Amino acid sequence: MHEIYLKMAQNNAWANATLYQAIAAVPASAATQPAPGFFATLAATMNHIYEVDLYYVDALQAGGRGRSVYRRIKETALTRLAHDQAAIDTRLIAFCSALTPQDLPATRRTERPTETCTETVQALLLHLFQHQVHHRGQAHVQLHAVGGTPPQLDEFHLAFERAPSARAYWP
């Protein structure tokens, strides 16, 4: 069962890279134009995705950074953010590659605004993947709103019509 988390991490990396490739086709100024979503701009949404990934991957790896990951200058250059996202995606894939069934019920501490909570590795991973899908959907709409062409992001898991770029993750 632990292999599913590796496939989800690989899907996550592929979807992020695919989305950033589509974002690269719009003018850089489009990233900071107002667009509908929880966050006011495409850059703000992509920053949020990155920061939350950084927060949870740090927690999963017991890195100890906690909420300090949010105290950074928000990136508006999406080429730089794409690079940073790819690096955190690689860390998540490595983490999931090393998972064993015994690791899933292990716990990790997460620092919250008013308390520190304990969650299972399994719950943290499931939440992280769901968070990614949720906000990539918003970025998808924002990309369209600023004149871009949103990519198809659901062609990873099934052999039928699997995106050629996704095939690199499958043996």
Side-chain angles (χ1 to χ4, degrees):
M1 179 174 171
H2 59 287
E3 292 92 1
I4 191 75
Y5 297 97
L6 174 58
K7 283 297 170 207
M8 290 301 294
Q10 291 170 327
N11 171 252
N12 194 58
W14 169 80
N16 286 333
T18 301
L19 182 56
Y20 272 108
Q21 184 177 15
I23 290 169
V26 298
S29 62
T32 56
Q33 291 177 8
F38 282 0
F39 300 93
T41 67
L42 181 57
T45 299
M46 300 311 287
N47 263 292
H48 176 72
I49 291 170
Y50 170 70
E51 285 181 336
V52 171
D53 279 10
L54 189 58
Y55 174 78
Y56 282 113
V57 171
D58 179 72
L60 288 163
Q61 295 177 324
R65 291 181 65 189
R67 294 186 58 77
S68 73
V69 301
Y70 298 115
R71 293 189 293 271
R72 57 182 272 283
I73 296 172
K74 306 303 182 215
E75 187 63 61
T76 57
L78 292 184
T79 54
R80 175 66 188 163
L81 197 55
H83 176 268
D84 292 347
Q85 184 66 55
I88 199 67
D89 289 344
T90 298
R91 284 176 56 193
L92 182 58
I93 288 170
F95 179 83
C96 290
S97 291
L99 278 176
T100 67
Q102 296 77 25
D103 293 327
L104 295 173
T107 58
R108 298 292 190 270
R109 296 171 63 80
T110 57
E111 181 185 338
R112 302 301 180 172
T114 59
E115 63 184 304
T116 299
C117 299
T118 301
E119 302 282 357
T120 65
V121 167
Q122 181 176 14
L124 289 171
L125 286 168
L126 291 171
H127 176 75
L128 178 56
F129 297 135
Q130 180 60 37
H131 180 269
Q132 276 276 351
V133 170
H134 172 68
H135 286 292
R136 274 195 304 262
Q138 293 172 7
H140 199 263
V141 170
Q142 289 179 314
L143 178 57
H144 184 272
V146 299
T149 303
Q152 190 74 24
L153 296 177
D154 63 350
E155 295 177 336
F156 183 83
H157 292 289
L158 299 179
F160 176 76
E161 293 186 342
R162 181 173 295 138
S165 59
R167 292 185 180 124
Y169 294 95
W170 290 85

